[in-house]
Coordinates of all heavy atoms in Angstrom, one line a residue:
M1 N 170.0 6.7 111.1 CA 170.1 8.0 111.9 C 171.3 8.7 111.4 O 172.4 8.1 111.3 CB 170.1 7.6 113.4 CG 170.3 8.9 114.2 SD 170.4 8.5 116.0 CE 168.8 7.7 116.3
T2 N 171.1 10.0 111.2 CA 172.2 10.8 110.7 C 173.0 11.4 111.9 O 172.3 12.0 112.8 CB 171.7 12.0 109.9 OG1 171.0 11.4 108.8 CG2 172.9 12.8 109.3
L3 N 174.3 11.2 112.0 CA 175.1 11.8 113.0 C 176.1 12.7 112.4 O 176.6 12.5 111.3 CB 175.9 10.6 113.7 CG 175.0 9.6 114.5 CD1 176.0 8.5 115.0 CD2 174.2 10.2 115.5
S4 N 176.5 13.7 113.2 CA 177.6 14.6 112.7 C 178.9 13.8 112.9 O 179.0 12.8 113.5 CB 177.6 15.9 113.6 OG 178.1 15.5 114.9
N5 N 179.9 14.3 112.3 CA 181.2 13.7 112.4 C 181.7 13.6 113.8 O 182.2 12.5 114.2 CB 182.3 14.4 111.5 CG 182.1 14.3 110.1 OD1 181.4 13.4 109.6 ND2 182.6 15.2 109.3
D6 N 181.5 14.7 114.6 CA 181.9 14.6 116.0 C 181.0 13.6 116.8 O 181.6 12.9 117.6 CB 181.7 16.0 116.6 CG 182.8 17.0 116.2 OD1 183.8 16.5 115.7 OD2 182.6 18.2 116.4
E7 N 179.7 13.5 116.5 CA 178.9 12.5 117.2 C 179.4 11.1 116.9 O 179.5 10.3 117.7 CB 177.4 12.7 116.8 CG 176.7 13.9 117.3 CD 175.4 14.1 116.7 OE1 175.2 13.8 115.5 OE2 174.5 14.6 117.5
R8 N 179.6 10.9 115.6 CA 180.0 9.5 115.2 C 181.3 9.1 115.8 O 181.5 8.0 116.3 CB 180.1 9.5 113.6 CG 180.3 8.1 113.1 CD 180.3 8.1 111.5 NE 179.2 8.8 110.9 CZ 179.2 10.0 110.4 NH1 180.4 10.7 110.4 NH2 178.2 10.6 109.9
E9 N 182.3 10.0 115.8 CA 183.6 9.7 116.4 C 183.5 9.5 117.9 O 184.1 8.6 118.4 CB 184.6 10.8 116.0 CG 186.0 10.5 116.5 CD 186.7 9.3 115.9 OE1 186.1 8.7 115.0 OE2 187.8 8.9 116.4
L10 N 182.8 10.4 118.5 CA 182.6 10.3 120.0 C 181.9 9.0 120.3 O 182.4 8.2 121.2 CB 181.8 11.5 120.5 CG 181.8 11.7 122.0 CD1 183.2 11.8 122.6 CD2 181.1 13.0 122.2
L11 N 180.9 8.6 119.6 CA 180.2 7.3 119.9 C 181.1 6.2 119.6 O 181.1 5.2 120.4 CB 178.9 7.3 119.0 CG 178.1 6.0 119.1 CD1 177.6 5.8 120.5 CD2 176.9 6.1 118.2
R12 N 181.9 6.2 118.6 CA 182.8 5.2 118.2 C 183.8 4.9 119.4 O 184.1 3.8 119.8 CB 183.6 5.5 116.9 CG 184.5 4.3 116.5 CD 185.4 4.8 115.3 NE 186.4 5.8 115.6 CZ 187.5 5.5 116.3 NH1 187.8 4.3 116.6 NH2 188.4 6.5 116.5
L13 N 184.4 6.0 119.9 CA 185.3 5.9 121.0 C 184.7 5.4 122.3 O 185.3 4.6 123.0 CB 186.0 7.3 121.2 CG 186.9 7.7 120.1 CD1 187.3 9.2 120.3 CD2 188.2 6.9 120.1
V14 N 183.5 5.8 122.6 CA 182.7 5.3 123.8 C 182.5 3.8 123.6 O 182.7 3.1 124.5 CB 181.4 6.1 124.0 CG1 180.5 5.4 125.0 CG2 181.7 7.5 124.4
E15 N 182.1 3.4 122.4 CA 181.7 2.0 122.1 C 183.0 1.1 122.3 O 182.9 0.0 122.7 CB 181.1 1.9 120.8 CG 180.4 0.6 120.5 CD 181.3 -0.5 120.1 OE1 182.3 -0.2 119.4 OE2 181.0 -1.7 120.4
Q16 N 184.1 1.6 121.9 CA 185.3 0.9 121.9 C 185.9 0.7 123.3 O 186.7 -0.2 123.6 CB 186.4 1.5 121.1 CG 186.2 1.3 119.6 CD 187.3 2.0 118.8 OE1 188.1 2.8 119.3 NE2 187.4 1.6 117.5
S17 N 185.4 1.5 124.3 CA 185.9 1.5 125.6 C 185.5 0.2 126.3 O 184.3 -0.2 126.1 CB 185.5 2.7 126.4 OG 186.0 2.7 127.7
T18 N 186.3 -0.3 127.1 CA 186.0 -1.6 127.9 C 185.2 -1.3 129.2 O 184.8 -2.3 129.8 CB 187.2 -2.4 128.1 OG1 188.1 -1.6 128.9 CG2 187.9 -2.8 126.8
R19 N 185.1 0.0 129.5 CA 184.4 0.3 130.8 C 183.7 1.7 130.6 O 184.0 2.4 129.6 CB 185.3 0.4 131.9 CG 186.4 1.5 131.8 CD 187.4 1.4 132.9 NE 188.2 2.5 133.2 CZ 188.9 3.2 132.3 NH1 188.9 2.9 131.0 NH2 189.7 4.2 132.7
P20 N 182.7 2.0 131.4 CA 182.1 3.3 131.3 C 183.1 4.5 131.3 O 184.1 4.4 132.1 CB 181.2 3.4 132.5 CG 180.9 2.0 132.8 CD 182.2 1.2 132.5
V21 N 182.9 5.5 130.5 CA 183.9 6.6 130.4 C 183.2 7.9 130.4 O 182.0 8.0 130.1 CB 184.7 6.4 129.0 CG1 185.5 5.2 129.0 CG2 183.7 6.4 127.9
A22 N 184.0 8.9 130.7 CA 183.5 10.3 130.5 C 183.8 10.7 129.1 O 184.9 10.6 128.6 CB 184.3 11.2 131.5
M23 N 182.7 11.1 128.4 CA 182.9 11.5 127.0 C 183.9 12.6 126.8 O 184.7 12.6 125.8 CB 181.6 11.9 126.3 CG 180.7 10.7 126.1 SD 179.2 11.0 125.1 CE 178.1 11.6 126.4
S24 N 184.0 13.5 127.8 CA 185.0 14.6 127.7 C 186.4 14.1 127.7 O 187.3 14.8 127.2 CB 184.7 15.6 128.8 OG 184.9 15.0 130.0
D25 N 186.7 12.9 128.1 CA 188.0 12.4 128.1 C 188.5 12.2 126.6 O 189.7 12.1 126.4 CB 188.1 11.0 128.7 CG 188.0 11.1 130.3 OD1 188.0 12.2 130.8 OD2 187.8 10.0 130.9
F26 N 187.6 12.1 125.7 CA 188.0 11.9 124.3 C 188.1 13.2 123.5 O 188.5 13.2 122.3 CB 186.9 11.0 123.6 CG 186.9 9.6 124.2 CD1 185.7 9.2 124.7 CD2 188.0 8.8 124.2 CE1 185.7 7.9 125.3 CE2 188.0 7.5 124.7 CZ 186.8 7.1 125.3
F27 N 187.8 14.3 124.1 CA 187.8 15.6 123.3 C 189.2 15.9 122.8 O 189.3 16.3 121.7 CB 187.3 16.8 124.2 CG 185.8 16.7 124.5 CD1 185.0 15.7 124.1 CD2 185.3 17.7 125.3 CE1 183.7 15.7 124.5 CE2 183.9 17.7 125.6 CZ 183.1 16.7 125.2
Q28 N 190.2 15.7 123.6 CA 191.6 15.9 123.2 C 192.0 15.0 122.0 O 192.8 15.3 121.2 CB 192.6 15.7 124.3 CG 192.4 16.8 125.4 CD 193.4 17.9 125.2 OE1 193.7 18.3 124.1 NE2 193.8 18.5 126.3
V29 N 191.4 13.8 122.0 CA 191.7 12.8 121.0 C 191.1 13.3 119.6 O 191.7 13.2 118.6 CB 191.1 11.4 121.4 CG1 191.3 10.4 120.2 CG2 191.8 10.9 122.6
I30 N 189.8 13.7 119.7 CA 189.1 14.1 118.5 C 189.7 15.4 117.9 O 189.9 15.6 116.7 CB 187.6 14.2 118.8 CG1 187.1 12.8 119.2 CG2 186.9 14.8 117.6 CD1 185.6 12.8 119.7
H31 N 189.9 16.4 118.8 CA 190.4 17.7 118.4 C 191.6 18.1 119.3 O 191.5 18.9 120.2 CB 189.3 18.8 118.5 CG 188.2 18.7 117.5 ND1 188.4 18.7 116.1 CD2 186.9 18.5 117.7 CE1 187.3 18.5 115.5 NE2 186.3 18.4 116.5
P32 N 192.8 17.5 119.0 CA 193.9 17.9 119.8 C 194.4 19.3 119.6 O 194.2 19.8 118.5 CB 195.0 16.9 119.3 CG 194.6 16.5 118.0 CD 193.1 16.6 117.9
P33 N 195.0 19.9 120.6 CA 195.5 21.3 120.4 C 196.7 21.2 119.5 O 197.3 20.2 119.2 CB 195.9 21.7 121.8 CG 196.1 20.4 122.6 CD 195.2 19.4 121.9
T34 N 197.0 22.3 119.0 CA 198.2 22.5 118.1 C 199.5 22.0 118.9 O 199.6 22.3 120.1 CB 198.4 24.0 117.7 OG1 197.2 24.4 117.0 CG2 199.6 24.1 116.8
P35 N 200.4 21.3 118.2 CA 201.6 20.9 118.9 C 202.3 22.2 119.5 O 202.3 23.2 118.9 CB 202.5 20.4 117.8 CG 201.5 19.9 116.8 CD 200.4 20.9 116.8
G36 N 202.7 22.0 120.8 CA 203.2 23.2 121.5 C 202.2 23.9 122.3 O 202.6 24.8 123.0
G37 N 200.9 23.6 122.2 CA 199.9 24.2 123.0 C 199.3 25.4 122.3 O 199.7 25.9 121.3
L38 N 198.2 25.9 122.9 CA 197.5 27.1 122.5 C 197.4 28.1 123.6 O 196.5 28.0 124.4 CB 196.1 26.7 122.0 CG 196.0 25.8 120.8 CD1 194.6 25.3 120.6 CD2 196.5 26.5 119.5
D39 N 198.3 29.0 123.6 CA 198.2 30.0 124.7 C 197.1 31.0 124.3 O 196.5 30.9 123.2 CB 199.6 30.7 124.9 CG 200.1 31.5 123.7 OD1 199.3 31.8 122.8 OD2 201.3 31.7 123.6
D40 N 196.8 32.0 125.2 CA 195.7 32.9 124.9 C 195.9 33.7 123.7 O 194.9 34.2 123.1 CB 195.6 33.8 126.1 CG 195.1 33.1 127.4 OD1 194.5 32.0 127.2 OD2 195.2 33.7 128.5
D41 N 197.1 33.9 123.2 CA 197.3 34.8 122.0 C 197.5 33.9 120.7 O 197.6 34.5 119.6 CB 198.6 35.6 122.2 CG 198.4 36.6 123.4 OD1 197.3 37.1 123.6 OD2 199.4 36.8 124.1
H42 N 197.4 32.6 120.8 CA 197.5 31.8 119.6 C 196.4 32.0 118.6 O 195.2 32.1 119.0 CB 197.6 30.3 120.0 CG 198.1 29.4 118.9 ND1 197.4 29.1 117.8 CD2 199.3 28.8 118.8 CE1 198.1 28.3 117.0 NE2 199.3 28.2 117.6
P43 N 196.7 32.2 117.3 CA 195.6 32.5 116.4 C 194.6 31.4 116.2 O 193.4 31.6 115.8 CB 196.4 32.7 115.1 CG 197.7 32.2 115.3 CD 198.0 32.2 116.7
D44 N 194.9 30.1 116.5 CA 194.0 29.0 116.4 C 193.2 28.7 117.7 O 192.3 27.9 117.7 CB 194.7 27.7 116.0 CG 195.4 27.8 114.7 OD1 194.9 28.6 113.8 OD2 196.4 27.1 114.4
R45 N 193.4 29.5 118.7 CA 192.8 29.2 120.0 C 191.3 29.3 119.9 O 190.5 28.5 120.5 CB 193.3 30.1 121.1 CG 192.7 29.7 122.5 CD 193.4 30.4 123.6 NE 192.8 30.1 124.9 CZ 193.1 29.0 125.5 NH1 194.0 28.1 125.1 NH2 192.6 28.7 126.7
E46 N 190.7 30.3 119.3 CA 189.3 30.5 119.2 C 188.6 29.4 118.5 O 187.6 28.9 118.9 CB 189.0 31.9 118.6 CG 187.5 32.2 118.7 CD 187.2 33.6 118.2 OE1 188.0 34.5 118.2 OE2 186.0 33.8 117.7
A47 N 189.2 29.0 117.3 CA 188.6 27.9 116.6 C 188.6 26.6 117.3 O 187.7 25.8 117.3 CB 189.3 27.8 115.2
W48 N 189.8 26.4 118.0 CA 189.9 25.1 118.8 C 188.9 25.1 119.9 O 188.3 24.1 120.2 CB 191.3 25.0 119.3 CG 191.6 23.8 120.2 CD1 191.8 22.6 119.7 CD2 191.7 23.8 121.6 NE1 192.0 21.7 120.8 CE2 191.9 22.5 122.0 CE3 191.5 24.8 122.6 CZ2 192.0 22.1 123.3 CZ3 191.6 24.4 123.9 CH2 191.9 23.1 124.2
T49 N 188.7 26.2 120.6 CA 187.7 26.3 121.7 C 186.3 26.1 121.2 O 185.5 25.4 121.8 CB 187.8 27.7 122.4 OG1 189.2 27.9 122.9 CG2 186.8 27.8 123.5
E50 N 186.0 26.6 120.0 CA 184.7 26.4 119.4 C 184.5 24.9 119.1 O 183.4 24.4 119.3 CB 184.5 27.2 118.2 CG 184.3 28.7 118.5 CD 184.2 29.6 117.3 OE1 184.2 29.1 116.2 OE2 184.2 30.8 117.5
R51 N 185.5 24.2 118.6 CA 185.4 22.8 118.3 C 185.2 22.0 119.6 O 184.4 21.1 119.7 CB 186.6 22.3 117.6 CG 186.7 22.7 116.2 CD 187.7 22.0 115.4 NE 189.1 22.2 115.9 CZ 189.9 23.2 115.5 NH1 189.5 24.1 114.6 NH2 191.1 23.4 116.1
R52 N 185.8 22.4 120.7 CA 185.6 21.7 122.0 C 184.2 21.9 122.5 O 183.6 21.0 123.0 CB 186.7 22.3 123.0 CG 188.1 22.0 122.7 CD 188.5 20.6 123.0 NE 188.3 20.2 124.4 CZ 189.3 20.0 125.3 NH1 190.5 20.0 124.9 NH2 189.0 19.7 126.5
I53 N 183.7 23.1 122.4 CA 182.3 23.4 122.8 C 181.3 22.6 122.0 O 180.4 22.0 122.5 CB 182.0 24.9 122.7 CG1 182.8 25.7 123.8 CG2 180.5 25.2 122.9 CD1 182.8 27.2 123.6
A54 N 181.6 22.5 120.7 CA 180.7 21.6 119.8 C 180.7 20.2 120.3 O 179.7 19.5 120.2 CB 181.2 21.7 118.4
L55 N 181.8 19.7 120.8 CA 181.9 18.3 121.3 C 181.0 18.1 122.5 O 180.4 17.1 122.7 CB 183.3 17.9 121.6 CG 184.2 17.6 120.4 CD1 185.6 17.5 120.8 CD2 183.7 16.4 119.7
Y56 N 180.9 19.2 123.4 CA 179.9 19.1 124.5 C 178.5 18.9 123.9 O 177.7 18.1 124.4 CB 180.0 20.3 125.4 CG 181.1 20.2 126.4 CD1 182.3 20.9 126.2 CD2 181.1 19.4 127.5 CE1 183.4 20.8 127.1 CE2 182.1 19.3 128.4 CZ 183.3 20.0 128.2 OH 184.3 19.9 129.0
G57 N 178.2 19.7 122.9 CA 176.9 19.6 122.2 C 176.7 18.2 121.6 O 175.6 17.6 121.7
A58 N 177.7 17.6 121.0 CA 177.6 16.3 120.5 C 177.4 15.3 121.6 O 176.6 14.3 121.4 CB 178.9 15.9 119.7
S59 N 178.0 15.5 122.8 CA 177.8 14.6 123.9 C 176.3 14.6 124.3 O 175.7 13.5 124.6 CB 178.6 15.0 125.1 OG 180.0 15.0 124.8
I60 N 175.8 15.8 124.5 CA 174.4 15.9 124.9 C 173.5 15.3 123.8 O 172.5 14.6 124.1 CB 174.0 17.4 125.1 CG1 174.8 18.0 126.3 CG2 172.5 17.6 125.2 CD1 174.8 19.5 126.4
S61 N 173.8 15.5 122.6 CA 173.0 14.9 121.5 C 172.9 13.4 121.5 O 171.9 12.8 121.3 CB 173.5 15.4 120.1 OG 172.8 14.9 119.1
L62 N 174.1 12.8 121.7 CA 174.2 11.3 121.8 C 173.3 10.8 122.9 O 172.6 9.8 122.7 CB 175.6 10.9 122.0 CG 176.5 11.1 120.8 CD1 178.0 10.7 121.2 CD2 176.1 10.2 119.6
H63 N 173.3 11.5 124.0 CA 172.5 11.0 125.1 C 171.0 11.3 124.8 O 170.1 10.4 125.0 CB 172.8 11.8 126.4 CG 172.1 11.3 127.6 ND1 171.0 12.0 128.1 CD2 172.2 10.2 128.4 CE1 170.5 11.3 129.1 NE2 171.2 10.3 129.3
A64 N 170.6 12.4 124.2 CA 169.3 12.7 123.9 C 168.7 11.8 122.9 O 167.5 11.4 122.9 CB 169.2 14.2 123.4
K65 N 169.5 11.3 122.0 CA 169.1 10.3 120.9 C 169.1 8.9 121.4 O 168.7 8.0 120.7 CB 170.1 10.4 119.7 CG 170.0 11.7 119.0 CD 171.0 11.7 117.8 CE 170.9 13.1 117.1 NZ 171.9 13.2 116.0
G66 N 169.5 8.7 122.7 CA 169.5 7.3 123.3 C 170.6 6.4 122.8 O 170.5 5.2 122.9
L67 N 171.7 7.0 122.3 CA 172.8 6.2 121.8 C 173.9 5.9 122.8 O 174.7 5.0 122.7 CB 173.4 7.0 120.6 CG 172.5 7.3 119.4 CD1 173.2 8.0 118.3 CD2 171.8 6.0 118.9
V68 N 173.8 6.7 123.9 CA 174.7 6.4 125.1 C 173.8 6.5 126.3 O 172.7 7.2 126.3 CB 175.9 7.3 125.3 CG1 176.8 7.2 124.1 CG2 175.4 8.8 125.5
R69 N 174.1 5.8 127.4 CA 173.4 5.9 128.6 C 174.4 6.2 129.8 O 175.5 5.8 129.7 CB 172.6 4.7 128.9 CG 173.3 3.5 129.3 CD 172.4 2.3 129.6 NE 173.2 1.2 130.2 CZ 173.3 1.0 131.5 NH1 172.8 1.8 132.3 NH2 174.1 0.0 131.9
I70 N 173.9 6.9 130.7 CA 174.7 7.3 131.9 C 174.7 6.1 132.8 O 173.6 5.6 133.3 CB 174.1 8.5 132.6 CG1 174.2 9.7 131.7 CG2 174.9 8.8 133.9 CD1 173.6 11.0 132.2
V71 N 175.9 5.5 133.1 CA 176.0 4.4 134.0 C 176.3 4.9 135.4 O 175.8 4.3 136.4 CB 177.2 3.5 133.5 CG1 177.4 2.4 134.5 CG2 176.9 3.0 132.1
S72 N 177.0 6.0 135.6 CA 177.4 6.5 136.9 C 177.3 8.1 136.7 O 178.1 8.7 136.0 CB 178.8 6.1 137.3 OG 179.1 6.6 138.5
P73 N 176.3 8.7 137.4 CA 176.1 10.1 137.3 C 177.3 10.9 137.8 O 178.0 10.4 138.7 CB 174.9 10.4 138.1 CG 174.1 9.1 138.2 CD 175.2 8.1 138.2
A74 N 177.5 12.1 137.3 CA 178.5 13.0 137.8 C 178.4 13.2 139.3 O 177.3 13.2 139.8 CB 178.4 14.4 137.1
N75 N 179.5 13.3 140.0 CA 179.5 13.4 141.4 C 180.2 14.6 142.0 O 180.5 14.7 143.2 CB 180.1 12.1 142.1 CG 181.5 11.9 141.7 OD1 182.2 12.8 141.2 ND2 182.0 10.7 142.1
G76 N 180.6 15.5 141.2 CA 181.3 16.7 141.6 C 182.8 16.6 141.4 O 183.5 17.6 141.3
A77 N 183.3 15.3 141.5 CA 184.7 15.1 141.3 C 185.0 14.6 139.9 O 186.1 14.7 139.4 CB 185.2 14.0 142.3
R78 N 184.0 14.1 139.2 CA 184.2 13.7 137.8 C 182.8 13.8 137.1 O 181.8 13.9 137.7 CB 184.6 12.2 137.8 CG 183.7 11.3 138.4 CD 183.8 9.9 137.9 NE 182.8 9.1 138.7 CZ 181.5 9.1 138.6 NH1 181.0 9.9 137.7 NH2 180.7 8.3 139.3
P79 N 182.9 13.8 135.7 CA 181.6 13.9 134.9 C 180.9 12.6 134.9 O 181.4 11.6 135.4 CB 182.1 14.3 133.6 CG 183.5 13.9 133.5 CD 184.1 13.9 134.9
D80 N 179.7 12.6 134.2 CA 179.0 11.4 134.0 C 179.8 10.4 133.3 O 180.6 10.7 132.4 CB 177.8 11.6 133.1 CG 176.7 12.5 133.7 OD1 176.5 12.5 134.9 OD2 176.0 13.2 132.9
L81 N 179.7 9.1 133.7 CA 180.3 8.0 133.0 C 179.3 7.3 132.2 O 178.2 7.0 132.7 CB 181.0 7.0 134.0 CG 182.0 7.6 134.9 CD1 182.6 6.5 135.8 CD2 183.2 8.2 134.1
V82 N 179.6 7.1 130.9 CA 178.6 6.5 130.0 C 179.1 5.3 129.3 O 180.3 5.0 129.3 CB 178.2 7.6 128.9 CG1 177.6 8.9 129.5 CG2 179.3 7.9 128.0
E83 N 178.1 4.6 128.6 CA 178.5 3.5 127.7 C 177.5 3.6 126.6 O 176.4 4.2 126.7 CB 178.4 2.1 128.5 CG 177.0 1.8 128.9 CD 176.9 0.5 129.7 OE1 178.0 -0.1 130.1 OE2 175.8 0.0 129.9
A84 N 177.9 3.0 125.5 CA 177.0 2.9 124.3 C 175.8 2.0 124.6 O 176.0 1.0 125.2 CB 177.8 2.5 123.1
T85 N 174.7 2.4 124.1 CA 173.5 1.5 124.2 C 173.5 0.6 123.0 O 174.3 0.7 122.0 CB 172.2 2.4 124.1 OG1 172.1 3.1 122.9 CG2 172.1 3.4 125.3
A86 N 172.6 -0.4 123.0 CA 172.5 -1.3 121.9 C 172.2 -0.5 120.6 O 172.7 -0.8 119.5 CB 171.4 -2.3 122.1
E87 N 171.3 0.5 120.7 CA 171.0 1.3 119.5 C 172.2 2.1 119.1 O 172.5 2.2 117.9 CB 169.8 2.3 119.8 CG 169.4 3.1 118.7 CD 168.2 4.0 118.9 OE1 167.6 4.0 120.0 OE2 167.9 4.8 118.0
G88 N 173.0 2.6 120.0 CA 174.2 3.3 119.7 C 175.2 2.4 118.9 O 175.8 2.8 117.9
R89 N 175.4 1.2 119.4 CA 176.3 0.2 118.7 C 175.8 -0.1 117.3 O 176.5 -0.3 116.4 CB 176.5 -1.1 119.6 CG 177.3 -0.8 120.9 CD 177.6 -2.1 121.6 NE 176.4 -2.8 122.1 CZ 175.8 -2.4 123.3 NH1 176.3 -1.4 124.0 NH2 174.8 -3.1 123.7
A90 N 174.4 -0.3 117.2 CA 173.9 -0.6 115.9 C 174.0 0.6 114.9 O 174.0 0.3 113.7 CB 172.4 -1.0 116.1
T91 N 174.1 1.8 115.4 CA 174.2 2.9 114.6 C 175.6 3.0 113.9 O 175.7 3.6 112.8 CB 174.0 4.2 115.4 OG1 172.7 4.1 116.0 CG2 174.1 5.5 114.6
L92 N 176.6 2.4 114.5 CA 178.0 2.5 114.0 C 178.1 1.5 112.9 O 177.6 0.4 112.9 CB 179.0 2.2 115.1 CG 179.0 3.3 116.2 CD1 179.9 2.8 117.4 CD2 179.6 4.6 115.6
P93 N 178.9 1.8 111.9 CA 179.2 0.8 110.8 C 180.0 -0.4 111.4 O 180.8 -0.2 112.3 CB 180.1 1.6 109.8 CG 180.5 2.8 110.5 CD 179.6 3.1 111.7
A94 N 179.7 -1.5 110.8 CA 180.4 -2.8 111.2 C 181.8 -2.8 110.8 O 182.4 -2.1 110.1 CB 179.7 -3.9 110.7

């Protein structure tokens, strides 16, 4: 199965977790903001925001492909908590 770089990295981080996690917790790890932050006038803010939105798409794709499963649905205070499925773990390189 072909995965985008974002899907692969997100799945790897979910798989390495010892407990169910919110995939959005890893967005800052995958695409951290520029040191010093990105205020509204920063020239890189738009590109960084687009990368973050793409990570939401990668999250949805991983679930749609059956590579992660929702262990605890979102409850209004936090997002869905997920874990890698057996197929998701098998998709990652050893």
Side-chain angles (χ1 to χ4, degrees):
M1 178 179 302
T2 303
L3 299 177
S4 70
N5 290 338
D6 284 343
E7 289 171 324
R8 190 176 309 103
E9 183 62 9
L10 193 52
L11 180 58
R12 183 187 70 77
L13 291 167
V14 168
E15 195 277 328
Q16 286 180 346
S17 182
T18 58
R19 63 188 197 308
V21 294
M23 287 190 275
S24 58
D25 288 350
F26 297 120
F27 291 4
Q28 293 267 33
V29 174
I30 296 171
H31 292 300
T34 303
L38 294 172
D39 61 25
D40 289 343
D41 298 324
H42 196 286
D44 294 334
R45 183 170 181 80
E46 186 174 337
W48 178 79
T49 301
E50 288 176 7
R51 287 191 300 271
R52 297 282 301 246
I53 291 169
L55 285 169
Y56 280 104
S59 300
I60 293 166
S61 178
L62 290 174
H63 184 260
K65 292 176 180 178
L67 302 178
V68 298
R69 72 179 189 91
I70 297 172
V71 177
S72 182
N75 64 11
R78 60 155 177 74
D80 293 331
L81 299 181
V82 303
E83 65 184 10
T85 62
E87 184 177 353
R89 290 187 294 278
T91 301
L92 294 169

